Amino acid sequence: MPETPSRDDRSSAPADEVTTSAPASRRAARQAQQAAGGPSDGGPVPSRPQAPPRAPVSSTAPIDALFEEKGLAAPSSSPKRHDRDRRKSRVAAWGVFVVVLAILGGLVAGGFYVWNTYEDQIRAVMGWEEPKDFEAGLAEGEASVTIVSGQTGADISQTLFDAGVTKTSDAFYSYLIDSGEDPNVLKPGVYSLQQKMTSEAAFAALLDPANKQEYTAQLREGLTVAQSVPRIAEGIGLPVEEVEAAVKDPAAYGVTAQSLEGWLFPATYTFDPDVTATQVIQAMVDRTVTALDDAGVPADQRERILTVASIIEKEARKEDDFYKVSRVIENRLDPAISDTGGKLQMDSTAQYPFADRDGGTSSRAEELEDDNPWNTYVNPGLPVTPIANPGALAITAAMEPAEGPWQYFVTVNLDTGETVFSATFAEHEKAVAQYQQWCRDNPDGGCS
């Protein structure tokens, strides 16, 4: 039967001195004594030898060894936990980085806004003002500048800046003020300058006739003589008074009519710088004669065809309509079939003598009732002169009216130009109602 330690043996030593190397029984103790050279079994049993001192545990030993000594498992220190910690640290670091970037970006954006908005004020306060003008000797390249009649010094200054001639928009204007130069000495026209010029050099270049380019005048279809004169003067760079005087005598250009209305052909004209107003008007009249000849108009029918063509030019919208409007005019003038007693009843002719009218569809009562030689609501036949300058299409249409019974027409949609042609007045009234409805639906469509 195995021996068990006595109660005294089990309680004689403090609990904290019990180690796993102590003998497990009395027999084991005696055997230990004999091995150590102690007394035999017959002798008294000496007191229990003190357990050998336990080797100290190094503070640097792995924590796993400490737990193994107690027979316990060490807490988990797997790589996964460390990876999670490192990832959290990286996320936090990137978050801080993003916040810092956002703050810096806001500061930079705010700085740009303040600089762009208050650059002039900031430069003034800090003494960083840049010179308004380019330095002398930087001029390069080419620049084309147009001086228009009536422009102020500030207007010319902006024009030069837009063309790249001067450094700032007010450089030339400041030069005029500082130097006392008069911008009115500059003649209208197109000038060849350079980019990056000083304001002083630009002013001198504008005064030099050698820098002035050819004159160009452009007239569109449907303009009257009164509307053409200022455009010619501006494009050619001549005083308006000279052009007005040039158009007063039709006979000077071989025209037998009472005015040059209809004889200033719509086109773009280019002239030498020394051209006169008379030469300009002669070129326009000659261009009209060429167009009449190209359309096969007999010389004794030129004035009539121009008159019909001028009405077509003002009344028609689409190309096909030019030829139909021409037929309506001829049908109304034909006493055998006319529903209107030979009256054209065209709004464009009624509006012509009124200077404040430049087109429009509905005539005012005063225009319809005024007894002037152009009002075809009052007078039968053609107006006394053309009412505008017709283009080549209108001249051709006047010579070649479309075949059809139409005596009425009305544009029922001013946006698209849709026009309804009718043979009877009853049909025409329906089209007029359609036009009136469009006007009600489009109060700003230009009906009045």
Side-chain angles (χ1 to χ4, degrees):
M1 184 174 184
E3 295 181 336
T4 58
S6 67
R7 184 175 301 168
D8 293 339
D9 291 334
R10 287 177 286 163
S11 61
S12 62
D16 59 355
E17 293 182 4
V18 178
T19 66
T20 57
S21 63
S25 66
R26 291 180 180 177
R27 180 180 295 176
R30 286 195 299 267
Q31 293 175 348
Q33 287 179 342
Q34 293 174 357
S40 63
D41 293 342
V45 177
S47 62
R48 184 177 179 179
Q50 189 174 2
R54 186 170 53 189
V57 180
S58 172
S59 61
T60 61
I63 191 170
D64 291 351
L66 296 177
F67 280 93
E68 289 174 0
E69 183 180 343
K70 297 294 184 180
L72 302 175
S76 174
S77 59
S78 65
K80 292 184 178 179
R81 177 174 179 179
H82 294 298
D83 291 343
R84 286 197 300 271
D85 292 342
R86 284 196 294 270
R87 282 197 296 271
K88 290 180 180 179
S89 298
R90 286 197 297 269
V91 170
W94 276 109
V96 173
F97 182 68
V98 170
V99 171
V100 172
L101 281 182
I103 294 173
L104 292 176
L107 292 174
V108 172
F112 276 119
Y113 171 79
V114 171
W115 177 259
N116 291 333
T117 306
Y118 304 104
E119 179 181 356
D120 293 339
Q121 294 90 328
I122 294 174
R123 287 186 179 279
V125 171
M126 301 301 295
W128 296 342
E129 294 96 338
E130 292 187 357
K132 291 183 177 181
D133 234 338
F134 287 117
E135 295 181 7
L138 294 181
E140 62 182 15
E142 296 182 358
S144 181
V145 176
T146 301
I147 304 299
V148 180
S149 178
Q151 279 188 317
T152 65
D155 295 333
I156 298 174
S157 184
Q158 182 67 49
T159 299
L160 291 170
F161 171 70
D162 292 339
V165 175
T166 52
K167 186 176 184 179
T168 59
S169 59
D170 59 345
F172 188 78
Y173 184 63
S174 297
Y175 166 76
L176 294 176
I177 294 176
D178 295 341
S179 64
E181 298 286 0
D182 184 4
N184 293 323
V185 301
L186 301 178
K187 301 295 184 181
V190 181
Y191 294 82
S192 296
L193 304 182
Q194 289 182 292
Q195 294 182 335
K196 297 184 179 181
M197 300 180 72
T198 65
S199 295
E200 181 180 5
F203 184 77
L206 291 173
L207 289 176
D208 187 351
N211 293 323
K212 201 169 186 181
Q213 299 178 6
E214 294 178 331
Y215 295 105
T216 300
Q218 185 176 33
L219 299 182
R220 63 172 175 80
E221 293 85 350
L223 293 177
T224 64
V225 169
Q227 294 168 337
S228 299
V229 165
R231 288 171 170 79
I232 295 171
E234 179 176 327
I236 305 304
L238 295 171
V240 174
E241 295 77 13
E242 290 187 16
V243 182
E244 287 177 338
V247 299
K248 286 184 177 180
D249 185 11
Y253 309 101
V255 176
T256 59
Q258 68 181 53
S259 80
L260 286 178
E261 197 68 81
W263 286 87
L264 305 181
F265 192 80
T268 299
Y269 300 87
T270 301
F271 303 97
D272 293 331
D274 58 349
V275 69
T276 65
T278 300
Q279 291 172 329
V280 171
I281 301 303
Q282 184 65 67
M284 294 179 177
V285 172
D286 292 344
R287 183 66 182 81
T288 298
V289 172
T290 299
L292 292 169
D293 291 343
D294 290 344
V297 180
D300 61 347
Q301 292 292 309
R302 287 174 176 172
E303 184 71 8
R304 181 186 186 278
I305 292 300
L306 285 177
T307 302
V308 173
S310 69
I311 298 173
I312 297 172
E313 191 70 66
K314 298 292 286 187
E315 295 283 348
R317 298 288 294 273
K318 298 182 178 181
E319 182 174 344
D320 289 345
D321 293 343
F322 275 65
Y323 298 91
K324 291 181 179 180
V325 170
S326 180
R327 173 50 62 190
V328 170
I329 293 173
E330 297 301 333
N331 286 347
R332 286 189 180 183
L333 291 176
D334 187 348
I337 61 174
S338 177
D339 281 354
T340 60
K343 295 179 180 178
L344 293 182
Q345 296 180 346
M346 300 287 178
D347 288 283
S348 58
T349 63
Q351 296 168 9
Y352 170 76
F354 295 83
D356 64 329
R357 295 298 294 245
D358 183 17
T361 56
S362 299
S363 297
R364 300 176 299 213
E366 61 177 313
E367 296 168 342
L368 298 175
E369 298 169 359
D370 190 77
D371 187 12
N372 62 72
W374 290 275
N375 189 353
T376 59
Y377 278 91
V378 175
N379 306 303
L382 293 172
V384 65
T385 70
I387 60 172
N389 54 352
L393 174 60
I395 292 174
T396 300
M399 284 292 293
E400 303 172 4
E403 293 297 327
W406 314 293
Q407 294 208 38
Y408 306 92
F409 67 91
V410 60
T411 301
V412 297
N413 187 319
L414 301 187
D415 284 343
T416 64
E418 179 186 358
T419 302
V420 175
F421 290 82
S422 305
T424 66
F425 186 70
E427 294 173 350
H428 179 61
E429 283 187 314
K430 293 180 181 179
V432 170
Q434 185 178 347
Y435 160 70
Q436 292 171 340
Q437 182 60 51
W438 188 92
C439 290
R440 286 191 292 270
D441 295 339
N442 301 272
D444 298 326
C447 294
S448 58

